[in-house]
Amino acid sequence: MKGFGLFVKTLAANTVRLNSLDVPSGRLTLVLGNESADLDSMVSSLALAYALSPTLNTPPIPIINTNRSDMALRPESTLLLRTTLANDSFNALTFIDDFDLTRVVSYGHKHGLDVWLVDHNAPASRQVELEPFVRGIVDHHVDEGRCKQAERQIELVGSCATLVAERLRSTLGRVEPELAKMLVAPILIDTSELSSSARRATDKDIEMVSWLVPQVEWAWPSADQVDQADNSSDEVESLDHVSSTHELYKILDKLKGKVSHLSARDLLRKDYKQWSVGSPVWTVGISSISYRLQKWIKRDSRKQIKKALEKWVEDQHLDIALVMTHGKAKQKGVKVYGRDLVVAFARSVDKEQQRRVLDGMRRSELLGLEPFFDEQDDGPVFFNQTRTESSRKQVFPAVKAVIESLSA
């Protein structure tokens, strides 16, 4: 198997190839991350494409499942990938708006197309045309039961990068330092640095971090570098200087949480996923925001958040929008991690259906919802989410079950 560095050099040809489909070039293989395009999804799509490359005649094409311009909303991903791929190769990555997906599907019907889904196990509602072409799945979310034809590895670990790392360990034994750093970063982010209190890390996440860490070329720490870790990231241009997993985590986590300058619309679209659920079909959208609700309300006001959500529901053609806010906020002078949840319905959803959905969510033990305000007015409903360990991986299945129960 050729090295990761040689694989990275092939990335530059991918976008050209996807825009030159008038000339058949054999069967295509895409490795597609999920539409939230977070760090885990991006890294996993790149690393899985590399893992698959020895088994294919032509290199698989990793796809970053967001628009190129939207990387401005993801500084932590930009920093990690620029450091581990180098600037030229980062710019050579293929984003979902760099080519016409409809043309790729048409090409697939004539000449062959295989799609590997990573960090999700069914195509997004806006990419359902890919479903017949799904050949493989590597994911850590609850199985939606679709794509029955696909080879699947679905395990509820903390990070999808853990499963890709395991695959690379079984075939290679070792990986290059750049790839090791790239893989360990999302595992740390998704598990809050393997924190036992966050209850996200599994034994396999810990095992893969233990395998990856010795392969990273860490910088030699300066005397004050550890003390600076918690205050770094403001002017960081590279991760070559980091000397430990703790410093790597702190820099990326701080960058990920720097969202207070974003507009309400950018907050809603930065980490967003959408599904079609139930019969009749509900279109469900869930935004995850690293910004506590009380801070957002203080900045924008409850009225302005309501207006932004109503516009978002309309623009995305949703029946229901959920906004998950999370992070640390002061309680009695101490910063404590917590979660909040906002639920907004389309005007077309009648009040009785809204009531039944909200009642079902209130009863869900996975959510642990409590009123955020003493009084609820018309419009979006605001909750404290006491089950802080429940991320979107747990919230979506809970909401899906409630919606599906409407027609039972």
Side-chain angles (χ1 to χ4, degrees), residues 192 365 390 402:
S192 298
E365 294 182 0
S390 291
V402 171

Side-chain angles (χ1 to χ4, degrees), residues 217-405:
E217 290 182 352
W218 302 104
W220 192 260
S222 61
D224 59 350
Q225 202 159 357
V226 174
D227 293 335
Q228 291 175 349
D230 290 354
N231 300 312
S232 58
S233 86
D234 291 333
E235 303 297 331
V236 174
E237 296 181 358
S238 170
L239 293 170
D240 290 334
H241 71 283
V242 298
S243 60
S244 66
T245 55
H246 177 67
E247 188 180 2
L248 177 65
Y249 170 76
K250 285 295 183 181
I251 290 172
L252 295 177
D253 188 55
K254 186 174 180 182
L255 279 174
K256 182 182 178 183
K258 290 179 69 173
V259 298
S260 60
H261 63 291
L262 297 178
S263 67
R265 178 177 175 79
D266 282 347
L267 287 173
L268 291 169
R269 71 188 184 92
K270 180 180 186 292
D271 188 353
Y272 174 74
K273 291 183 181 180
Q274 185 171 308
W275 296 265
S276 297
V277 173
S279 179
V281 172
W282 284 58
T283 303
V284 180
I286 304 183
S287 301
S288 179
I289 303 175
S290 303
Y291 195 41
R292 288 302 298 275
L293 184 55
Q294 65 188 51
K295 293 182 180 180
W296 191 12
I297 292 171
K298 183 176 180 180
R299 190 192 78 171
D300 288 357
S301 81
R302 183 178 177 181
K303 180 179 179 181
Q304 290 303 313
I305 292 173
K306 175 182 176 180
K307 288 178 64 176
L309 274 172
E310 289 173 346
K311 184 71 164 57
W312 180 252
V313 168
E314 181 181 346
D315 289 348
Q316 303 303 315
H317 307 291
L318 300 176
D319 295 295
I320 182 173
L322 293 91
V323 182
M324 303 183 62
T325 69
H326 57 95
K328 290 186 176 180
K330 282 189 176 180
Q331 293 182 9
K332 299 179 180 179
V334 179
K335 283 191 173 182
V336 178
Y337 182 83
R339 288 184 177 274
D340 313 293
L341 183 67
V342 186
V343 183
F345 294 93
R347 292 186 177 91
S348 58
V349 179
D350 67 53
K351 296 295 184 183
E352 176 59 18
Q353 285 184 311
Q354 292 185 31
R355 183 194 64 77
R356 291 177 65 189
V357 170
L358 290 170
D359 285 350
M361 291 176 63
R362 290 186 182 101
R363 288 193 298 268
S364 173
E365 294 182 0
L366 278 172
L367 303 180
L369 298 182
E370 295 179 351
F372 189 89
F373 295 111
D374 292 335
E375 296 182 4
Q376 173 63 44
D377 58 12
D378 289 336
V381 183
F382 297 75
F383 295 103
N384 289 316
Q385 182 185 319
T386 63
R387 290 292 297 271
T388 57
E389 71 275 17
S390 291
S391 67
R392 185 165 47 196
K393 279 202 306 182
Q394 290 79 32
V395 171
F396 169 65
V399 173
K400 179 174 180 280
V402 171
I403 291 172
E404 289 175 341
S405 71

Side-chain angles (χ1 to χ4, degrees), residues 16-279:
V16 173
R17 186 179 178 203
L18 291 176
N19 284 288
S20 306
L21 298 179
D22 293 336
V23 180
S25 58
R27 194 173 193 88
L28 286 175
T29 300
L30 305 184
V31 182
L32 184 68
N34 70 46
E35 64 178 332
S36 76
D38 62 2
L39 187 64
D40 190 31
S41 191
M42 292 187 197
V43 167
S44 295
S45 63
L46 283 162
L48 181 61
Y50 172 56
L52 292 172
S53 58
T55 67
L56 302 171
N57 294 326
T58 55
I61 301 176
I63 305 295
I64 307 299
N65 202 357
T66 191
N67 293 342
R68 182 176 291 272
S69 61
D70 286 348
M71 284 301 287
L73 303 176
R74 299 166 172 85
E76 74 286 357
S77 299
T78 299
L79 178 61
L80 180 71
L81 294 179
R82 282 194 184 280
T83 298
T84 53
L85 296 177
N87 281 338
D88 289 346
S89 296
F90 173 81
N91 294 331
L93 291 172
T94 301
F95 291 80
I96 198 67
D97 63 336
D98 286 339
F99 63 98
D100 185 341
L101 188 61
T102 302
R103 287 192 66 209
V104 170
V105 170
S106 297
Y107 179 95
H109 283 296
K110 296 177 183 178
H111 305 290
L113 171 65
D114 292 321
V115 176
W116 281 76
L117 301 180
V118 64
D119 204 19
H120 61 317
N121 57 71
S125 60
R126 291 177 284 196
Q127 297 171 343
V128 290
E129 67 267 35
L130 293 175
E131 190 154 342
F133 300 100
V134 176
R135 178 183 173 183
I137 295 166
V138 179
D139 184 37
H140 67 135
H141 298 86
V142 173
D143 194 342
E144 295 186 37
R146 292 162 54 189
C147 306
K148 297 291 189 182
Q149 77 281 7
E151 174 188 331
R152 60 216 299 123
Q153 181 185 9
I154 300 176
E155 298 180 40
L156 301 183
V157 294
S159 172
C160 191
T162 290
L163 301 178
V164 181
E166 182 184 43
R167 182 177 287 245
L168 286 165
R169 185 179 66 170
S170 68
T171 56
L172 296 179
R174 290 186 62 81
V175 294
E176 286 92 331
E178 295 80 8
L179 181 54
K181 183 182 287 185
M182 183 190 294
L183 283 165
V184 80
I187 303 175
L188 295 173
I189 290 293
D190 283 1
T191 63
S192 298
E193 203 178 4
L194 304 179
S195 166
S196 58
S197 61
R199 290 182 281 185
R200 297 178 197 161
T202 66
D203 290 345
K204 186 170 287 189
D205 296 298
I206 296 168
E207 180 184 354
M208 287 302 102
V209 168
S210 297
W211 175 67
L212 290 165
V213 166
Q215 300 179 71
V216 178
E217 290 182 352
W218 302 104
W220 192 260
S222 61
D224 59 350
Q225 202 159 357
V226 174
D227 293 335
Q228 291 175 349
D230 290 354
N231 300 312
S232 58
S233 86
D234 291 333
E235 303 297 331
V236 174
E237 296 181 358
S238 170
L239 293 170
D240 290 334
H241 71 283
V242 298
S243 60
S244 66
T245 55
H246 177 67
E247 188 180 2
L248 177 65
Y249 170 76
K250 285 295 183 181
I251 290 172
L252 295 177
D253 188 55
K254 186 174 180 182
L255 279 174
K256 182 182 178 183
K258 290 179 69 173
V259 298
S260 60
H261 63 291
L262 297 178
S263 67
R265 178 177 175 79
D266 282 347
L267 287 173
L268 291 169
R269 71 188 184 92
K270 180 180 186 292
D271 188 353
Y272 174 74
K273 291 183 181 180
Q274 185 171 308
W275 296 265
S276 297
V277 173
S279 179

